[in-house]
Amino acid sequence: MQLVHVNGTDKGPVMLYALSTCGWCAKTRELLTDLGVAFDYIYVDLVGPEEQKEVIEAVERVNPSLSFPTVVIGEQTIVGFKEKELREAFT
Amino acid sequence: MSGTEPITAEEVDRLVEQIERDAGVGGYHLHPDADFVRGLVRGLAENERRYGYRSCPCRLSMGTKEADLDIICPCDYRDADLVDHGACYCALYVSADVKAGRTTVGSIPERRPPRAEREKARAGVTATPGVVGSLAFPVWRCSVCGYLCARDAPPLECPICRVGRERFARFI
């Protein structure tokens, strides 16, 4: 499991760090897809141990509690399934 | 990483039934959206197959039971989150009000301390000194529900919330 790209309108770099087993991560992915923005996502629980270390460090830089979902939109980080904030970030 | 066979709908059904039954006995409630519950329970089954224990579907497992002990479902943070937010972190468990549809819940903040703090806290755990000598038995505390018992060793299973004895720590 690696980075997966979802096609949509280009709103700059949008990265979703998610877990394949998590309900809120699934809802976040659905919302981003419904909003029609282009984004990348990665299931951190499914990457191999070598890459996982790197991905974990990347998440901890923007969200020290290493919780999911973590969405990085340019300079902005949104932690958790925050529907209002996510919608506002793309208006 | 995951098992070769996908988790079947029947396996998920059985596990939902078991979790719901245990929740009812202990006075806990599952999220009112059955599909949402099934998704989370599927995640628990997936994690059990991957790691050998039901690690929280909404938290990243470190792959060892020792490191994940506090997030094996039901997690150490469930009861406090039910009180403060009406739901646990993944929202598998909710308050009676949420269950009845009187209030709704969303994604809540993470209560679990960051990795470095957890490691420091684990290293610093010691029994309370002073009173121990005056007690006939040591006192054990369940880290999930707070149940206390005074006996030579913790029970095999918590009689209140049903977690295993590895979730008990010496309290006094």
Side-chain angles (χ1 to χ4, degrees):
Chain A
M1 182 73 204
Q2 289 305 325
L3 207 65
V4 179
H5 182 74
V6 178
N7 287 319
T9 315
D10 183 13
K11 298 269 188 178
V14 180
M15 179 71 202
L16 162 64
Y17 295 99
L19 299 178
S20 68
T21 50
C22 168
W24 299 118
C25 295
K27 282 185 187 287
T28 305
R29 193 181 134 194
E30 274 168 36
L31 177 64
L32 289 175
T33 307
D34 289 349
L35 288 172
V37 296
F39 70 98
D40 293 297
Y41 71 88
I42 189 163
Y43 284 139
V44 183
D45 56 324
L46 298 184
V47 298
E50 286 295 304
E51 297 111 303
Q52 197 181 54
K53 203 166 161 275
E54 274 174 48
V55 184
I56 286 174
E57 281 166 9
V59 178
E60 283 181 329
R61 271 196 292 276
V62 291
N63 171 16
S65 69
L66 186 67
S67 59
F68 300 90
T70 293
V71 187
V72 182
I73 306 163
E75 296 294 301
Q76 188 188 3
T77 302
I78 299 177
V79 175
F81 175 62
K82 308 262 174 61
E83 186 170 350
K84 196 164 159 277
E85 281 179 45
L86 286 163
R87 286 182 185 279
E88 280 168 4
F90 297 111
T91 52
Chain B
M1 295 283 286
S2 54
T4 45
E5 299 290 316
I7 308 276
T8 65
E10 289 73 31
E11 283 175 78
V12 176
D13 285 341
R14 271 200 303 275
L15 193 50
V16 168
E17 215 174 280
Q18 183 206 324
I19 291 173
E20 197 148 40
R21 197 175 47 236
D22 286 349
V25 170
Y28 294 95
H29 311 277
L30 301 190
H31 195 285
D33 181 342
D35 286 338
F36 188 74
V37 168
R38 287 181 59 81
L40 290 170
V41 170
R42 178 175 287 277
L44 284 174
E46 190 75 54
N47 284 346
E48 184 165 33
R49 187 178 285 185
R50 264 188 229 161
Y51 311 117
Y53 46 86
R54 291 179 202 154
S55 194
C56 175
C58 291
R59 292 180 170 114
L60 181 63
S61 163
M62 290 293 139
T64 67
K65 197 171 183 179
E66 194 199 5
D68 290 341
L69 204 56
D70 60 326
I71 55 163
I72 296 175
C73 187
C75 69
D76 287 9
Y77 314 102
R78 174 187 66 174
D79 289 26
D81 280 334
L82 283 173
V83 171
D84 289 354
H85 303 289
C88 71
Y89 185 66
C90 74
L92 176 63
Y93 292 95
V94 297
S95 67
D97 276 350
V98 174
K99 179 74 179 176
R102 289 189 287 269
T103 51
T104 54
V105 284
S107 175
I108 65 167
E110 172 61 298
R111 178 183 297 273
R112 189 189 197 204
R115 207 151 38 122
E117 276 179 45
R118 293 199 303 273
E119 279 159 14
K120 212 160 44 178
R122 237 199 322 266
V125 170
T126 48
T128 319
V131 286
V132 180
S134 61
L135 295 173
F137 294 98
V139 177
W140 304 90
R141 178 181 183 274
C142 171
S143 64
V144 174
C145 71
Y147 166 74
L148 297 177
C149 57
R151 43 190 275 171
D152 287 327
L156 294 175
E157 195 177 77
C158 175
I160 304 301
C161 72
R162 312 294 301 275
V163 296
R165 74 179 326 197
E166 70 276 10
R167 306 294 285 277
F168 277 79
R170 179 86 179 261
F171 186 61
I172 303 174

